[in-house]
Amino acid sequence: GLVSCFSFLRGSSDAVDLVTTARMLGYDALGITDANTMAGVVRLHTEAKMLKLRPVIGCRIETVEGLAFLAYPKTRAAYGRLCRLVSQGRMQTLSGGWQDKGVCEISLAMLAEHSEEVQLILLPPEDLAARFTIAVPSNVIPFRHPAGISKVPLARKRSGTPDQVRGDDRVELTAPFPDILPHLIAQLPTLRHLAAAYLYRGDDIARIDRLDAMARAYGLTLLATNDVHYHAPERRPLNDVMTAIRHKT
């Protein structure tokens, strides 16, 4: 899943360069997944059709929980749901207020509501031990106090790993990435793949083997992908500058 220049301060190449390079390298299909936007789809679709490549239309969904998914709609109705999801995240905050310009807030619950017929591929974090906090269904039946009896706060013990904060029907679960994976699969029925790509850090083979074992343990399949940000090596300096600006470093 590549990103184009429509992923602000991430992609360093436009659709023409990306499609032309893919054609020169012998690709017969090209998937686009700009970050929380469908803005680059039209241009890439047009260029791909001109060069007889099959455009694979999608979007990279980045949630407020810090997780990332490649989302590819299977039908026109699914494409509409994906567009509505992105529009909702860009139009309003999670609390219902007006959203700031350039900000997109999408929660796992929102993604689950719009994921019918949308093929989801989970992008693992660079650090597989990274911890995330997600909301999961609670398995505790809340005690309802009879009318007229005041509620007495109960002391809560801090649990070990993973950490849980209980509510009436939801639980906030904080755990390492491998431990939240089964909960993600339960919440997202169309999640079928775990992505794997070379990071060129010296431990790629071991990391991919671990991802493969993780995927097999939960009934997923490993899917090879590329995190393409530009079409040619000479664009690397530009991408480095854009990345520094994005991270304010």
Side-chain angles (χ1 to χ4, degrees), residues 41-120:
V41 164
V42 174
R43 188 172 297 179
L44 184 131
H45 183 275
T46 302
E47 296 298 329
K49 286 296 185 181
M50 288 179 59
L51 294 181
K52 309 300 182 183
L53 267 69
R54 179 170 62 91
V56 182
I57 304 303
C59 179
R60 178 184 175 123
I61 299 296
E62 297 180 343
T63 72
V64 294
E65 294 85 358
L67 297 163
F69 302 83
L70 301 182
Y72 291 104
K74 296 181 179 179
T75 64
R76 184 167 183 171
Y79 177 85
R81 282 188 286 271
L82 189 58
C83 290
R84 285 194 294 273
L85 171 64
V86 173
S87 296
Q88 182 179 341
R90 290 192 173 276
M91 289 178 64
Q92 65 181 27
T93 64
L94 295 181
S95 59
W98 287 104
Q99 186 62 273
D100 293 334
K101 183 178 180 181
V103 178
C104 184
E105 291 182 338
I106 297 175
S107 67
L108 277 175
M110 292 168 58
L111 177 58
E113 291 174 2
H114 294 81
S115 64
E116 183 181 353
E117 294 185 311
V118 176
Q119 182 64 65
L120 295 175

Side-chain angles (χ1 to χ4, degrees), residues 112-166:
E113 291 174 2
H114 294 81
S115 64
E116 183 181 353
E117 294 185 311
V118 176
Q119 182 64 65
L120 295 175
I121 303 163
L122 176 59
L123 296 168
E126 290 191 14
D127 179 9
L128 297 182
R131 296 171 68 85
F132 297 88
T133 299
I134 64 173
V136 299
S138 174
N139 60 0
V140 176
I141 300 176
F143 176 76
R144 305 296 181 185
H145 291 268
I149 299 179
S150 61
K151 296 183 179 180
V152 179
L154 298 177
R156 293 178 176 174
K157 288 185 177 180
R158 180 174 179 83
S159 62
T161 302
D163 303 323
Q164 294 184 350
V165 179
R166 298 192 179 280

Side-chain angles (χ1 to χ4, degrees), residues 18-54:
L18 291 167
V19 173
T20 302
T21 302
R23 188 71 176 86
M24 291 175 57
L25 294 174
Y27 284 79
D28 56 10
L30 193 62
I32 182 170
T33 53
D34 278 314
N36 287 347
T37 180
M38 305 291 283
V41 164
V42 174
R43 188 172 297 179
L44 184 131
H45 183 275
T46 302
E47 296 298 329
K49 286 296 185 181
M50 288 179 59
L51 294 181
K52 309 300 182 183
L53 267 69
R54 179 170 62 91

